[in-house]
Every structure is written in structure tokens, then in C-alpha cells.
């Protein structure tokens, strides 16, 4: 485990669920590199797609390629954690911003170069949750001590804006289940971590985006103003 890591909301160590989640993504990055896949879409199994998902994602990636953007990872779904300042929009590309500190790995595009960078960091030797590891690798994690264990931190990370996928359930919703939060501590089966089920703190404790933090200067595509009752 990463020396000194503790969950920022509950002060606990890594859970077995978080360990399993990280290993799943790590296996995908390995497969991308082994197969030489230049561009891959990674999605988890508990998400819902926004309207026109396929067309909007295709349009975004076509613009990214046409503009020659140097990118490693593009979130298409996330929980934005830096809520005080706007993120920087990407010039000449619709619906894309430079990603700041973010949670969740429910959906992202990743390049071959990006997968190689993540694997070269050897995260299995100093593990933390995968959605904490990614911001470390693009140098946007608020805890400097965590970042000091990884060099270089040069992942080129962006995010779709607005997002293209969202969770099917949020913390505390009826039917909400979390294999990462509702688990056991990674090295002790007797220590259960049912905090999110008993008291839904993670969603409640995230600050709301201030008006100054809205990403208002992002180029918007025509699809985003289209009626949202079509699939």
C-alpha cells in the first residue's frame, strides 16, 4: 500500500473492493499495451449513457484527432472534486476541458501512450484507490505527499464537458450498492467498511460548484442544445 494513505472521508486504509477495482483497471491497461491498442474506451458496469452518446463521443474524438491534441486520458464520466475554480477549456475543440482533481473511473478514453505511462509508474507496488491514482499521475492531487511517490506525473488528462455517462445510482439512493466502499479493509477481513451504506457522507460532503467554478467558456456542440428526449 502507499505509505501513509488513508481515505480522505473516513480515515481508513484501502478496502478489498478498492483493491479489486484497481486490479480490474490495471489488467485493462496491460491488455491495451499487450495488444497495441491505440485508443480504447473503458466503461464500468454501473453507468447510464447520455442521449446521443455514441455520436457525441465520435464527434469529440474526431476533433481531438483533427487538432492533433496530445492526450493520454479523457474522462467521459467523473465526479469533479475541485469545485472552487473553473477548468481550462481546450481551444478549437468542442466540449473538452483540462481535467482537475476528479473522482470515479466509470468511463474514460485512454490512449496506448496513456496506458504505458500508468503501467510504468508501477502502482501495484504503492497502491491507493484508482480514482486517487489518476489525479496523482496528471499532477492534480491535493495531497502532495501522495504525489511525491510517483515520477514523472505527466499524464495528459482531459474531460468531456458536459459529461457523457453518469452512475445509475448515487450514494444513498434506493438500490445503491458499492463494491468498493461496502467492503472490508484490505488486510483484515474482520474490519468492515459499511460507512456509505449507513451514512451517505461522500456525496453530502462534496462541496457544490461555485458560480465562479463553472466551465462556462467551453465550446458547445450543436448536439448539446438538441431536445434531450431522443435516444
Amino acid at each position: 500500500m502507499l505509505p501513509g494513505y488513508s481515505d480522505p472521508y473516513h480515515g481508513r486504509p484501502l478496502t478489498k473492493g478498492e483493491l479489486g477495482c484497481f486490479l480490474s483497471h490495471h489488467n485493462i491497461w496491460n491488455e491495451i499495451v499487450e495488444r497495441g491498442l491505440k485508443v480504447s474506451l473503458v466503461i464500468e458496469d454501473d453507468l447510464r449513457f447520455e442521449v446521443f452518446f455514441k455520436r457525441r463521443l465520435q464527434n469529440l474524438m474526431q476533433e481531438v484527432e483533427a487538432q492533433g491534441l496530445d492526450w493520454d486520458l479523457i474522462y467521459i464520466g467523473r465526479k469533479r472534486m475541485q469545485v472552487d475554480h473553473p477548468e481550462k477549456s481546450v481551444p478549437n475543440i468542442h466540449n473538452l476541458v483540462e481535467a482537475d482533481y476528479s473522482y470515479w473511473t466509470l468511463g474514460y478514453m485512454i490512449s496506448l501512450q496513456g496506458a504505458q505511462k500508468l503501467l510504468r509508474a508501477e502502482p501495484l507496488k504503492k497502491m491507493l484507490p484508482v480514482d486517487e491514482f489518476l489525479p496523482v499521475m496528471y499532477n492534480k492531487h491535493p495531497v502532495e505527499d501522495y504525489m511525491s511517490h510517483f515520477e514523472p506525473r505527466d499524464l495528459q488528462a482531459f474531460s468531456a464537458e458536459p459529461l457523457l455517462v453518469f452512475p445509475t445510482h448515487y450514494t444513498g439512493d434506493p438500490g445503491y450498492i458499492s463494491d468498493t466502499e461496502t467492503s472490508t479493509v484490505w488486510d483484515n477481513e474482520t474490519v468492515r467498511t459499511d460507512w456509505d451504506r449507513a451514512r451517505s457522507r461522500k456525496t453530502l460532503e462534496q462541496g457544490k460548484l461555485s458560480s465562479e467554478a463553472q466551465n462556462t467558456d467551453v465550446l458547445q456542440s450543436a448536439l448539446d442544445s438538441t431536445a434531450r428526449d431522443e435516444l
Side-chain angles (χ1 to χ4, degrees):
M1 298 301 108
L2 184 74
Y5 173 76
S6 64
D7 181 90
Y9 291 92
H10 306 300
R12 57 156 173 76
L14 203 70
T15 69
K16 283 194 171 181
E18 289 169 334
L19 180 62
C21 180
F22 199 122
L23 292 175
S24 295
H25 286 273
H26 194 272
N27 288 341
I28 291 170
W29 304 336
N30 266 319
E31 183 173 351
I32 289 170
V33 172
E34 289 171 0
R35 296 175 58 186
L37 302 177
K38 293 185 177 180
V39 178
S40 301
L41 169 63
V42 180
I43 52 175
E44 296 182 347
D45 61 0
D46 55 350
L47 57 80
R48 61 177 176 82
F49 299 96
E50 283 288 84
V51 293
F52 302 121
F53 166 80
K54 181 178 178 181
R55 200 187 322 173
R56 291 165 70 180
L57 182 58
Q58 287 176 331
N59 288 348
L60 173 61
M61 298 311 296
Q62 286 169 1
E63 286 195 32
V64 165
E65 183 175 0
Q67 292 296 321
L69 182 68
D70 181 19
W71 70 278
D72 297 318
L73 182 141
I74 299 175
Y75 290 103
I76 62 170
R78 61 171 177 157
K79 179 179 181 179
R80 184 177 163 195
M81 299 301 291
Q82 186 285 106
V83 296
D84 296 322
H85 308 287
E87 294 167 309
K88 184 178 179 182
S89 62
V90 179
N92 304 317
I93 299 179
H94 292 85
N95 309 117
L96 195 66
V97 296
E98 296 180 8
D100 212 313
Y101 182 40
S102 302
Y103 270 2
W104 297 347
T105 50
L106 72 163
Y108 57 90
M109 301 296 298
I110 187 169
S111 68
L112 175 58
Q113 172 182 270
Q116 290 168 334
K117 287 182 179 181
L118 295 175
L119 292 175
R120 278 198 297 267
E122 299 185 311
L124 300 190
K125 294 183 178 180
K126 41 200 172 184
M127 287 193 65
L128 69 169
V130 65
D131 60 353
E132 300 276 15
F133 172 64
L134 293 180
V136 165
M137 290 301 293
Y138 58 84
N139 206 40
K140 291 290 187 178
H141 200 286
V143 181
E144 292 286 343
D145 185 56
Y146 297 168
M147 294 204 295
S148 68
H149 292 274
F150 297 93
E151 292 285 351
R153 299 186 300 272
D154 59 352
L155 195 75
Q156 302 298 311
F158 302 87
S159 177
E161 176 77 18
L163 298 171
L164 303 180
V165 299
F166 291 90
T168 55
H169 297 84
Y170 289 90
T171 307
D173 285 350
Y176 170 79
I177 298 174
S178 172
D179 293 329
T180 55
E181 301 294 334
T182 305
S183 181
T184 59
V185 172
W186 74 277
D187 60 349
N188 190 336
E189 284 280 355
T190 67
V191 181
R192 298 200 58 81
T193 57
D194 285 340
W195 290 296
D196 263 31
R197 182 170 290 174
R199 59 182 194 212
S200 304
R201 299 305 305 168
K202 280 201 170 181
T203 297
L204 295 176
E205 290 179 19
Q206 182 195 4
K208 293 182 179 179
L209 285 174
S210 68
S211 58
E212 293 80 10
Q214 300 291 341
N215 296 325
T216 54
D217 62 343
V218 182
L219 287 174
Q220 298 295 318
S221 69
L223 285 176
D224 294 306
S225 59
T226 304
R228 296 171 58 84
D229 57 354
E230 298 183 41
L231 294 176

